[in-house]
Amino acid sequence: MELPQAVVLSHEQSCNLWCPSCRLEKILYTKGPLYDKAKIINDKIIDAFLTKPTDRYFSISCLGAGDPFASKLTRDMLYNIKGNKFPNLQVFLGTNGLMFTEKVWNKMHKIHHNLSRCDISIDASTKETYEQKTRLGGNWELLLKNLDFLNSMSANHRNFI
């Protein structure tokens, strides 16, 4: 059986924010039946795509239901992919940017050359709108700090947009 060329991970809803557009409260799964169910799916994806080294072209998109860095499962997967074993893997990220810090960037060092795109959802242009209306639980100053850092990293990593 031939594997798909694109995998979109949106099976886990954990997020560090609770935005009115998608949820009423913060959702963080770290244990329990919903976490266990998501872990089964995650383990199958890792087994199918990330255990046997290959030069096959494929992509993994971490976006959709929550934030990849708020999800323990997705975060751990991103930290542990051995990018040099998958030279043609492209990783796409969709995040609110608050947890995408320099520390997280450094923990993902094995896939820096695999990162192809990062979409950061802000949905506000002022601190007040961001923190009080669109990104509840957000921190405007931390977001700007992280955006500055990620911008500097994109200058050093040509494939990371």
Side-chain angles (χ1 to χ4, degrees):
M1 178 177 80
E2 192 172 323
L3 292 172
Q5 289 184 315
V7 176
V8 178
L9 300 179
S10 63
H11 63 286
E12 219 269 83
Q13 295 183 7
S14 289
C15 190
N16 53 313
L17 301 178
W18 57 100
C19 306
S21 60
C22 69
R23 61 191 72 215
L24 299 175
E25 60 189 17
K26 187 186 302 187
I27 298 173
L28 288 174
Y29 297 125
T30 57
K31 60 183 176 181
L34 292 174
Y35 174 84
D36 295 340
K37 188 175 182 180
K39 184 168 180 1
I40 290 168
I41 295 168
N42 211 69
D43 289 348
K44 286 181 180 183
I45 292 166
I46 290 169
D47 185 53
F49 290 91
L50 300 170
T51 54
K52 184 179 177 188
T54 182
D55 62 356
R56 181 174 83 82
Y57 286 88
F58 69 105
S59 66
I60 295 177
S61 299
C62 302
L63 45 90
D67 190 274
F69 302 111
S71 165
K72 178 179 175 5
L73 293 170
T74 305
R75 189 175 59 238
D76 288 348
M77 181 193 69
L78 292 169
Y79 293 167
N80 292 306
I81 296 172
K82 294 179 175 93
N84 62 334
K85 305 286 184 187
F86 306 95
N88 295 311
L89 164 65
Q90 293 184 318
V91 177
F92 304 108
L93 301 171
T95 176
N96 59 49
L98 285 174
M99 295 181 74
F100 202 173
T101 62
E102 182 174 0
K103 181 179 177 180
V104 166
W105 171 263
N106 291 332
K107 285 185 174 186
M108 292 176 22
H109 65 93
K110 293 183 269 185
I111 60 167
H112 284 173
H113 71 279
N114 301 98
L115 293 173
S116 293
R117 182 175 172 157
C118 181
D119 294 335
I120 299 178
S121 175
I122 300 168
D123 294 338
S125 59
T126 67
K127 174 182 173 70
E128 178 185 2
T129 301
Y130 181 81
E131 291 181 356
Q132 297 176 18
K133 295 181 181 170
T134 62
R135 295 292 182 240
L136 302 179
N139 179 315
W140 182 252
E141 286 80 19
L142 177 59
L143 173 68
L144 295 180
K145 177 182 174 185
N146 292 348
L147 291 174
D148 283 343
F149 172 73
L150 293 171
N151 185 51
S152 71
M153 291 301 96
S154 69
N156 297 328
H157 294 82
R158 292 182 324 179
N159 60 333
F160 183 57
I161 301 170

